[in-house]
Amino acid sequence: MEPVLEVKDLSISFTQYQGGTRRRELPVIRNLSLTVEAGQVAAVVGSSGSGKSLLAHGILGILPYNSHMEGELRYKGQPLTPKRSEALRGREIVLVPQGVTYLDPLMKVGPQLRGGRRDAQAKARSRAVLERYGLGAETEELYPFELSGGMARRVLIATAAAQSPGLLIADEPTPGLDARAAGRILGHFREIADQGAGVLLITHDLELALTIADKVAVFYAGETVEEANASDFSAGRLRHPYTNALWNALPQNGFTPIPGAQPWPGEEGSGCPFAPRCPRRTEACVGEIPVRSVNGGRVRCLYPEGGERP
Amino acid sequence: MKHRLIFTGKKLIRMALLLLGVSLAAFLLMSASPLDPLQTNVGQAALGTMSQEQIAKLEEYWGVNDPPLQRYLGWLGDFVRGDMGTSLLYRQPVSQVIGQRLQNSLWLMAFAWVFSGLLGLTLGILAGASRESWGDKLIRGWCLLISSTPTFWLALVLLIVFAVWLGVLPSGLSVPIGVDAASVTLGDRLYHAILPALTLSITGVANIALHTREKMIDILESDYVLFARARGESKTSIILRHGLRNVALPAITLQFASISEIFGGSVLVEQVFSYPGLGQTAVNAGLGSDLPLLLGITVVSAAIVFGGNLIADLLYGVVDPKIRRGAARA
Ligand SMILES: Nc1ncnc2c1ncn2[C@@H]1O[C@H](COP(=O)(O)OP(=O)(O)OP(=O)(O)O)[C@@H](O)[C@H]1O
Ligand SMILES: [Mg+2]
């Protein structure tokens, strides 16, 4: 079967003006590749500022006007042109945004769920979808500021589930929720995937992502450094030094911090962006780094663990 | 409901205190003024030919010799009892003078207020929604040009173009010259109000349009508009469904705040067009040391401006769900 979403060599950059006149291209995402299959939850894990939200906006075709996108996007086998993504977004491809600020502060929940439609069918549908997420019919009459954090999150999911999407993109859907509430929210995404949709879960929280994801793409400074199966993590089959470091930084795995910091967009040198922080780097790491398949996953590293040793 | 009443009551008390402050400030400024009421109103030459008795009588009439505090307290005492005193210049009760002039001005200001509000809002929304297009640049350029043009200068330009060159509109006054008051029609009045009202509106539009444009741009860059786009809403739908709704609150504030600007503008505009409104009368009262009239005008116009702000606050409570629902629960 065709994957729901294929992203190949995606690059996104911004045009910036320095001192008013000097134009500069600021690359934020470089050569990113990723696939999401139907019925699958694919997680994209990366730290703040690594370009996760931009990836989501790029797929939806809603990048800011001063940005430039290159590469290949395919939805269910067909190229995702700007025109096609405009036709699909909101119906086939839906977004669950990060927080309550993505709801119109002056519009009641009901009309926001229905997105401008007023017919009886739309009403019945918004009722049903609220109920599905444990929200009563009275929620329709509330304004966003009257929702609790968890309710707002469920309303946002409801906006997406009110359609029957082929692809759901969730951008950081759980910040500010305690572990149990976050687990429940993620459970809803698993459910949507189990019904046949592809789910792209974007988060900085590896631990939470692993609770529902089938596979994980690890994002570093605008690049996917590794695509791994979820089971690879606990089985110790990780490939990229950064993925390993992320895994070891989790509380239950020793809480080992990674020294250094992720480079800012435009400040990466050539070659591997992780090299300055990498224990396995050599001089060769400043050159071109190809992507290769190792143990059923993909990694962008010259010296992956589980591959040949340096 | 109780919550709202307390809110309104507090606002009213504040308004009374502010009016007291404003009248005191106006009084202090006037007593510090170097203008000698006798010289300005009677004239240097006439004064020279008068006898001491006559001068003393006049001095008493203009209140030159009373201590300032006594004059102010006397005025305040009468005002609280509902008596605004008698205008020294017009020799009529102040309330009557103000009533007449306000009627003339109200035409002017109400027209300018509504017109500049509607046009400014529309232009601002259009410019903000089509940011950086030639339409936006045109609107913004025009607004910047207008708001950097002094009001009296704009009034003069319009006067020269429409009254002098084209000769289609009258150059001044609120009624035709040489026609008795009874036969002046509403049409005459409107005809005479066109130029001053237009001048006032044009200045008002610029400010409202520029502010509305900023608000609209903020809204279009907000998270909720991004999400609306992600949900497939068209640009038109976004502007109609989210843009208008969210621009409404700042628009109310802008619109009612513009009352004070229109008042200020009317002083200059009425002067240029010799339009016998409140603004022109205020200038006369100030220059002529007509204390009761000036204080009366100051208090009445301040009350109108504060009243506007109060209405804006109350409207806010009706429009903003946060205040409305908050009040419903209290
Ligand atoms: N309009 C813009 N112009 C220039 N740079 C931008 C713009 N929007 C985002 N960026 C840059 O792109 C980078 C990635 O932004 P993005 O919002 O995708 O990060 P993120 O991974 O989602 O982070 P977070 O976890 O904090 O949400 C950031 O470093 C940011 O500075
Ligand atoms: Mg983000």
Side-chain angles (χ1 to χ4, degrees):
Chain A
M1 218 176 101
E2 302 234 58
V4 176
L5 177 73
E6 280 173 280
V7 179
K8 230 161 111 191
D9 298 327
L10 184 81
S11 298
I12 296 178
S13 57
F14 284 99
T15 309
Q16 284 195 329
Y17 289 88
Q18 279 183 325
T21 48
R22 262 193 38 235
R23 237 174 92 123
R24 185 168 94 112
E25 288 294 317
L26 183 73
V28 182
I29 294 183
R30 275 156 298 120
N31 301 320
L32 180 141
S33 300
L34 170 101
T35 53
V36 184
E37 313 275 348
Q40 205 181 44
V41 175
V44 169
V45 176
S47 55
S48 188
S50 55
K52 304 183 302 285
S53 295
L54 290 174
L55 170 65
H57 300 165
I59 297 168
L60 287 157
I62 53 169
L63 286 170
Y65 66 99
N66 63 335
S67 65
H68 178 70
M69 184 165 82
E70 263 174 58
E72 214 181 312
L73 287 172
R74 285 172 168 273
Y75 176 73
K76 295 194 171 164
Q78 300 295 316
L80 201 54
T81 57
K83 223 176 146 183
R84 185 152 177 254
S85 71
E86 195 180 332
L88 292 180
R89 66 177 176 240
R91 287 183 295 139
E92 279 276 312
I93 306 180
V94 296
L95 174 73
V96 175
Q98 199 162 331
V100 72
T101 58
Y102 288 80
L103 292 173
D104 187 330
L106 298 182
M107 194 185 281
K108 288 179 185 167
V109 166
Q112 301 213 48
L113 272 176
R114 294 188 283 275
R117 292 176 48 190
R118 293 212 189 92
D119 47 305
Q121 197 197 348
K123 278 213 169 108
R125 207 163 182 176
S126 63
R127 281 282 147 81
V129 77
L130 280 177
E131 205 177 306
R132 178 166 158 197
Y133 295 111
L135 298 165
E138 70 283 352
T139 315
E140 294 211 345
E141 290 303 308
L142 297 180
Y143 285 95
F145 74 91
E146 295 172 303
L147 302 171
S148 72
M151 280 166 89
R153 213 71 52 161
R154 279 179 284 164
V155 166
L156 291 171
I157 298 180
T159 62
Q163 318 298 320
S164 18
L167 173 67
L168 185 148
I169 304 170
D171 186 5
E172 300 271 15
T174 55
L177 294 186
D178 61 72
R180 262 191 44 216
R184 260 206 307 277
I185 295 292
L186 289 185
H188 294 313
F189 291 123
R190 183 70 255 177
E191 213 176 279
I192 289 172
D194 291 343
Q195 286 162 4
V199 172
L200 182 64
L201 172 66
I202 295 176
T203 177
H204 66 272
D205 191 333
L206 176 63
E207 196 183 357
L208 264 174
L210 285 174
T211 59
I212 62 154
D214 298 298
K215 63 177 191 184
V216 177
V218 179
F219 218 41
Y220 188 80
E223 290 185 0
T224 14
V225 294
E226 172 163 0
E227 274 192 80
N229 290 313
S231 56
D232 295 346
F233 284 81
S234 50
R237 273 201 304 267
L238 296 175
R239 299 153 193 91
H240 198 282
Y242 177 62
T243 321
N244 256 308
L246 265 187
W247 175 247
N248 290 329
L250 293 183
Q252 68 271 32
N253 303 333
F255 233 145
T256 323
I258 321 171
Q262 177 177 280
W264 290 102
E267 280 178 5
E268 311 91 348
S270 62
C272 176
F274 187 63
R277 304 166 75 185
C278 183
R280 298 162 73 93
R281 67 166 177 268
T282 67
E283 283 83 48
C285 291
V286 295
E288 186 74 16
I289 317 282
V291 180
R292 47 167 128 179
S293 299
V294 177
N295 287 340
R298 289 153 61 78
V299 63
R300 186 188 296 275
C301 182
L302 293 177
Y303 314 112
E305 308 191 22
E308 57 272 40
R309 297 264 141 192
Chain B
M1 202 58 229
K2 196 173 148 214
H3 177 93
R4 304 311 296 288
L5 284 179
I6 293 176
F7 172 80
T8 313
K10 271 189 192 159
K11 286 266 170 194
L12 285 174
I13 292 174
R14 246 196 40 207
M15 185 166 144
L17 288 177
L18 276 166
L19 287 181
L20 192 70
V22 165
S23 68
L24 185 61
F27 174 82
L28 289 178
L29 284 175
M30 186 115 143
S31 23
S33 148
L35 286 180
D36 175 6
L38 258 59
Q39 274 195 21
T40 39
N41 292 302
V42 184
Q44 184 79 49
L47 214 56
T49 62
M50 283 182 184
S51 68
Q52 273 310 316
E53 277 156 56
Q54 281 174 311
I55 291 179
K57 243 177 153 175
L58 281 171
E59 276 182 347
E60 199 195 318
Y61 179 78
W62 292 98
V64 177
N65 297 325
D66 299 340
L69 188 66
Q70 189 188 326
R71 290 168 73 193
Y72 179 69
L73 288 180
W75 173 84
L76 190 63
D78 288 343
F79 183 84
V80 171
R81 267 177 260 120
D83 176 11
M84 291 166 87
T86 307
S87 159
L88 303 176
L89 282 175
Y90 295 86
R91 292 177 182 269
Q92 279 171 1
V94 167
S95 50
Q96 203 175 320
V97 178
I98 292 182
Q100 246 170 35
R101 303 303 161 119
L102 192 58
Q103 225 177 16
N104 286 342
S105 285
L106 228 44
W107 277 108
L108 210 71
M109 292 193 283
F111 174 81
W113 188 61
V114 172
F115 183 77
S116 63
L118 289 180
L119 190 65
L121 189 67
T122 316
L123 288 179
I125 288 174
L126 286 178
S130 60
R131 188 180 174 191
E132 296 307 324
S133 68
W134 62 265
D136 173 38
K137 285 182 181 147
L138 202 71
I139 293 175
R140 199 164 34 139
W142 186 69
C143 288
L144 287 175
L145 183 72
I146 292 297
S147 53
S148 52
T149 308
T151 307
F152 74 90
W153 197 82
L154 183 70
L156 284 175
V157 170
L158 290 179
L159 186 81
I160 290 170
V161 172
F162 288 99
V164 180
W165 289 353
L166 299 177
V168 288
L169 290 170
S171 65
L173 304 178
S174 66
V175 291
I177 299 172
V179 175
D180 73 281
S183 54
V184 173
T185 61
L186 182 65
D188 285 334
R189 285 183 180 280
L190 285 179
Y191 182 57
H192 281 256
I194 290 178
L195 265 189
L198 199 64
T199 314
L200 266 186
S201 312
I202 290 177
T203 353
V205 165
N207 186 28
I208 292 193
L210 286 175
H211 278 98
T212 309
R213 176 181 178 274
E214 290 302 311
K215 290 290 168 202
M216 199 64 197
I217 287 175
D218 285 351
I219 291 170
L220 290 180
E221 281 177 353
S222 69
D223 287 347
Y224 55 88
V225 163
L226 186 75
F227 185 45
R229 289 216 289 145
R231 298 186 67 200
E233 280 190 46
S234 68
K235 176 127 201 190
T236 330
S237 152
I238 286 175
I239 289 165
L240 294 179
R241 256 164 62 84
H242 304 289
L244 294 188
R245 185 183 302 261
N246 283 280
V247 99
L249 285 177
I252 290 176
T253 314
L254 271 178
Q255 181 65 16
F256 282 90
S258 77
I259 291 183
S260 62
E261 274 161 47
I262 289 202
F263 246 99
S266 77
V267 174
L268 292 170
V269 169
E270 288 178 4
Q271 205 60 30
V272 173
F273 290 102
S274 325
Y275 190 90
L278 204 61
Q280 200 201 34
T281 313
V283 174
N284 290 344
L287 292 178
S289 303
D290 190 342
L291 186 72
L293 183 59
L294 187 74
L295 287 181
I297 291 178
T298 310
V299 170
V300 167
S301 36
I304 292 178
V305 171
F306 292 145
N309 285 340
L310 181 65
I311 294 175
D313 282 336
L314 294 178
L315 269 180
Y316 236 81
V318 178
V319 178
D320 187 348
K322 270 187 200 168
I323 304 180
R324 191 172 65 228
R325 296 272 176 114
R329 267 193 229 127

Coordinates of all heavy atoms in Angstrom, one line a residue, chain A residues 59-104:
Chain A
I59 N 3.8 21.0 5.2 CA 2.9 20.0 4.6 C 1.5 20.5 4.3 O 0.9 20.2 3.3 CB 2.8 18.8 5.6 CG1 4.2 18.1 5.8 CG2 1.8 17.8 5.1 CD1 4.2 17.2 6.9
L60 N 1.0 21.4 5.2 CA -0.3 22.0 5.0 C -0.3 23.2 4.0 O -1.4 23.6 3.6 CB -0.8 22.5 6.3 CG -1.3 21.4 7.3 CD1 -1.2 22.0 8.7 CD2 -2.7 20.9 7.0
G61 N 0.9 23.6 3.6 CA 0.9 24.7 2.7 C 0.6 26.0 3.3 O 0.0 26.9 2.7
I62 N 0.9 26.2 4.6 CA 0.5 27.5 5.2 C 1.8 28.2 5.8 O 1.7 28.8 6.9 CB -0.5 27.3 6.3 CG1 -0.1 26.2 7.3 CG2 -1.9 27.0 5.7 CD1 -1.0 26.1 8.6
L63 N 2.9 28.0 5.1 CA 4.1 28.7 5.6 C 4.0 30.2 5.5 O 3.2 30.7 4.6 CB 5.3 28.2 4.8 CG 5.8 26.8 5.1 CD1 6.8 26.3 4.1 CD2 6.4 26.7 6.5
P64 N 4.7 31.0 6.3 CA 4.7 32.4 6.1 C 5.2 32.9 4.7 O 5.9 32.1 4.1 CB 5.5 33.0 7.2 CG 6.2 31.8 7.8 CD 5.5 30.6 7.4
Y65 N 4.8 34.1 4.3 CA 5.1 34.5 2.9 C 6.6 34.7 2.7 O 7.0 34.6 1.5 CB 4.3 35.7 2.6 CG 4.7 37.0 3.4 CD1 5.6 37.9 2.8 CD2 4.3 37.2 4.7 CE1 6.0 39.0 3.5 CE2 4.7 38.3 5.4 CZ 5.5 39.2 4.8 OH 5.9 40.3 5.5
N66 N 7.4 34.9 3.7 CA 8.8 35.1 3.5 C 9.6 33.8 3.5 O 10.8 33.8 3.7 CB 9.4 36.1 4.4 CG 9.3 35.6 5.9 OD1 8.4 34.8 6.2 ND2 10.2 36.1 6.7
S67 N 8.9 32.7 3.3 CA 9.6 31.4 3.4 C 9.6 30.8 2.0 O 8.8 31.1 1.1 CB 8.9 30.5 4.4 OG 7.6 30.2 3.9
H68 N 10.5 29.8 1.9 CA 10.7 29.2 0.6 C 10.8 27.7 0.8 O 11.6 27.3 1.7 CB 11.9 29.7 -0.1 CG 12.2 29.1 -1.4 ND1 11.4 29.3 -2.5 CD2 13.2 28.3 -1.8 CE1 11.9 28.7 -3.5 NE2 12.9 28.0 -3.1
M69 N 10.1 26.9 0.1 CA 10.1 25.4 0.4 C 10.5 24.7 -0.9 O 10.1 25.0 -2.0 CB 8.7 25.0 0.8 CG 8.7 23.5 1.2 SD 7.1 23.1 2.1 CE 6.0 22.9 0.7
E70 N 11.4 23.7 -0.7 CA 11.9 22.9 -1.8 C 11.8 21.4 -1.4 O 11.8 21.1 -0.2 CB 13.3 23.2 -2.2 CG 13.5 24.2 -3.3 CD 14.9 24.5 -3.5 OE1 15.7 23.6 -3.7 OE2 15.3 25.7 -3.3
G71 N 11.7 20.5 -2.4 CA 11.7 19.1 -2.1 C 10.4 18.5 -2.6 O 9.6 19.1 -3.3
E72 N 10.2 17.2 -2.2 CA 9.0 16.5 -2.7 C 8.1 16.1 -1.6 O 8.5 15.6 -0.6 CB 9.6 15.3 -3.4 CG 8.7 14.9 -4.6 CD 9.3 13.6 -5.2 OE1 10.6 13.5 -5.4 OE2 8.5 12.7 -5.4
L73 N 6.8 16.4 -1.8 CA 5.8 16.0 -0.8 C 4.8 15.2 -1.6 O 4.3 15.6 -2.7 CB 5.1 17.3 -0.3 CG 5.8 18.1 0.8 CD1 5.0 19.4 1.1 CD2 6.0 17.3 2.0
R74 N 4.4 14.0 -1.1 CA 3.4 13.2 -1.7 C 2.3 12.8 -0.7 O 2.7 12.4 0.4 CB 4.0 12.0 -2.3 CG 4.8 12.2 -3.6 CD 5.5 11.0 -4.0 NE 6.0 11.1 -5.4 CZ 5.3 10.9 -6.5 NH1 4.1 10.4 -6.4 NH2 5.9 11.1 -7.7
Y75 N 1.1 13.0 -1.1 CA 0.0 12.5 -0.3 C -0.7 11.4 -1.0 O -1.2 11.6 -2.1 CB -0.9 13.6 0.1 CG -2.1 13.2 0.9 CD1 -2.0 12.9 2.2 CD2 -3.4 13.1 0.3 CE1 -3.1 12.5 2.9 CE2 -4.5 12.7 1.0 CZ -4.3 12.4 2.4 OH -5.4 12.0 3.1
K76 N -0.8 10.2 -0.4 CA -1.4 9.0 -1.0 C -0.9 8.8 -2.5 O -1.7 8.6 -3.4 CB -2.9 9.1 -1.0 CG -3.4 9.0 0.5 CD -4.9 8.8 0.6 CE -5.3 8.5 2.0 NZ -6.7 8.7 2.3
G77 N 0.4 9.0 -2.7 CA 1.0 8.7 -3.9 C 1.1 9.9 -4.9 O 1.9 9.9 -5.8
Q78 N 0.2 10.9 -4.7 CA 0.2 12.0 -5.6 C 0.9 13.2 -5.1 O 0.9 13.4 -3.9 CB -1.3 12.4 -5.9 CG -2.2 11.4 -6.5 CD -1.7 11.0 -7.9 OE1 -1.4 11.8 -8.7 NE2 -1.6 9.7 -8.1
P79 N 1.6 13.9 -5.9 CA 2.4 15.1 -5.4 C 1.4 16.1 -4.7 O 0.3 16.3 -5.2 CB 2.9 15.7 -6.7 CG 2.9 14.7 -7.7 CD 1.8 13.7 -7.4
L80 N 1.9 16.6 -3.7 CA 1.1 17.6 -2.9 C 1.5 19.0 -3.3 O 2.3 19.6 -2.8 CB 1.4 17.4 -1.4 CG 0.4 17.9 -0.4 CD1 -1.0 17.3 -0.6 CD2 0.8 17.5 1.0
T81 N 0.8 19.4 -4.4 CA 1.1 20.8 -4.9 C 0.4 21.8 -4.0 O -0.5 21.4 -3.2 CB 0.5 20.9 -6.3 OG1 -0.9 20.6 -6.3 CG2 1.2 20.0 -7.3
P82 N 0.8 23.1 -4.1 CA 0.1 24.1 -3.2 C -1.4 24.0 -3.5 O -2.2 24.2 -2.5 CB 0.7 25.4 -3.7 CG 2.0 25.0 -4.3 CD 1.9 23.6 -4.8
K83 N -1.8 23.8 -4.7 CA -3.2 23.8 -5.0 C -3.9 22.6 -4.4 O -5.0 22.8 -3.8 CB -3.4 23.7 -6.6 CG -4.5 24.7 -7.0 CD -4.6 24.6 -8.5 CE -6.0 24.8 -8.9 NZ -6.3 24.8 -10.3
R84 N -3.2 21.5 -4.5 CA -3.8 20.3 -3.9 C -3.9 20.4 -2.4 O -4.9 20.0 -1.7 CB -3.0 19.1 -4.3 CG -3.7 17.7 -3.9 CD -3.3 16.6 -4.9 NE -3.9 15.4 -4.4 CZ -3.1 14.4 -3.8 NH1 -1.8 14.6 -3.7 NH2 -3.7 13.3 -3.4
S85 N -2.8 20.9 -1.8 CA -2.9 21.0 -0.3 C -3.9 22.0 0.2 O -4.6 21.8 1.2 CB -1.5 21.3 0.3 OG -1.1 22.6 0.0
E86 N -4.2 23.0 -0.6 CA -5.2 23.9 -0.3 C -6.6 23.2 -0.3 O -7.4 23.5 0.5 CB -5.2 25.1 -1.3 CG -6.0 26.3 -0.7 CD -6.0 27.5 -1.7 OE1 -5.0 27.6 -2.5 OE2 -7.0 28.2 -1.7
A87 N -6.8 22.4 -1.3 CA -8.0 21.6 -1.4 C -8.2 20.6 -0.3 O -9.3 20.3 0.1 CB -8.1 21.0 -2.8
L88 N -7.1 20.0 0.1 CA -7.1 18.9 1.1 C -7.1 19.4 2.5 O -7.7 18.7 3.4 CB -6.0 18.0 0.9 CG -6.0 17.2 -0.5 CD1 -4.7 16.3 -0.5 CD2 -7.2 16.3 -0.6
R89 N -6.5 20.5 2.8 CA -6.3 20.8 4.2 C -7.7 21.2 4.8 O -8.6 21.8 4.2 CB -5.3 22.0 4.4 CG -5.7 23.3 3.8 CD -4.6 24.3 4.2 NE -4.9 25.6 3.6 CZ -4.2 26.2 2.7 NH1 -3.0 25.6 2.3 NH2 -4.5 27.3 2.2
G90 N -7.8 20.7 6.1 CA -9.1 20.9 6.8 C -10.0 19.8 6.6 O -11.0 19.6 7.3
R91 N -9.8 18.9 5.5 CA -10.7 17.8 5.3 C -9.9 16.5 5.3 O -10.2 15.6 6.1 CB -11.5 18.0 4.0 CG -12.5 19.2 4.2 CD -13.3 19.4 3.0 NE -12.5 19.9 1.9 CZ -12.6 19.5 0.6 NH1 -13.5 18.6 0.3 NH2 -11.8 20.0 -0.3
E92 N -9.0 16.4 4.3 CA -8.2 15.1 4.3 C -7.0 15.2 5.2 O -6.6 14.2 5.8 CB -7.7 14.9 2.8 CG -8.7 14.3 1.9 CD -8.7 12.8 2.0 OE1 -7.7 12.2 2.0 OE2 -9.8 12.2 2.2
I93 N -6.4 16.4 5.2 CA -5.2 16.6 6.0 C -5.6 17.6 7.1 O -5.9 18.7 6.8 CB -4.0 17.1 5.2 CG1 -3.7 16.2 4.0 CG2 -2.8 17.3 6.1 CD1 -2.6 16.7 3.1
V94 N -5.5 17.1 8.4 CA -6.0 18.0 9.4 C -4.8 18.3 10.4 O -3.9 17.4 10.6 CB -7.2 17.5 10.2 CG1 -8.4 17.4 9.2 CG2 -6.9 16.2 10.8
L95 N -4.9 19.4 11.1 CA -3.9 19.8 12.1 C -4.5 19.9 13.4 O -5.6 20.4 13.6 CB -3.3 21.1 11.7 CG -2.3 21.8 12.7 CD1 -1.0 21.1 12.6 CD2 -2.1 23.3 12.3
V96 N -3.8 19.3 14.4 CA -4.2 19.6 15.8 C -3.1 20.5 16.4 O -2.0 20.1 16.5 CB -4.3 18.3 16.6 CG1 -4.5 18.6 18.1 CG2 -5.3 17.4 16.1
P97 N -3.4 21.7 16.6 CA -2.4 22.7 17.0 C -2.0 22.6 18.4 O -2.6 21.8 19.2 CB -3.0 24.0 16.6 CG -4.5 23.8 16.8 CD -4.7 22.4 16.5
Q98 N -1.1 23.4 18.8 CA -0.4 23.3 20.1 C -1.3 23.7 21.3 O -1.1 23.1 22.3 CB 0.8 24.2 20.0 CG 1.9 23.9 21.0 CD 3.2 24.4 20.6 OE1 3.5 24.6 19.4 NE2 4.0 24.7 21.6
G99 N -2.1 24.7 21.1 CA -2.8 25.2 22.3 C -4.0 26.0 22.0 O -4.4 26.2 20.9
V100 N -4.6 26.5 23.1 CA -5.9 27.2 23.1 C -5.8 28.5 22.3 O -6.8 29.0 21.8 CB -6.4 27.4 24.5 CG1 -5.6 28.5 25.2 CG2 -7.9 27.8 24.5
T101 N -4.6 29.1 22.1 CA -4.5 30.3 21.3 C -4.8 30.1 19.8 O -4.9 31.0 19.1 CB -3.0 30.9 21.4 OG1 -2.1 29.9 20.9 CG2 -2.7 31.3 22.8
Y102 N -4.9 28.8 19.4 CA -5.3 28.6 18.1 C -6.8 28.6 17.8 O -7.3 28.3 16.7 CB -4.7 27.2 17.6 CG -3.2 27.3 17.4 CD1 -2.3 27.2 18.5 CD2 -2.6 27.5 16.1 CE1 -0.9 27.3 18.3 CE2 -1.3 27.6 16.0 CZ -0.4 27.5 17.1 OH 0.9 27.7 16.9
L103 N -7.5 28.8 18.9 CA -9.0 29.0 18.8 C -9.3 30.5 18.8 O -8.6 31.2 19.5 CB -9.7 28.3 19.9 CG -9.6 26.8 19.9 CD1 -10.2 26.2 21.2 CD2 -10.3 26.2 18.7
D104 N -10.2 30.9 18.0 CA -10.7 32.3 18.0 C -11.2 32.7 19.3 O -12.2 32.1 19.8 CB -11.7 32.5 16.9 CG -12.1 34.0 16.7 OD1 -12.0 34.7 17.7 OD2 -12.5 34.3 15.6

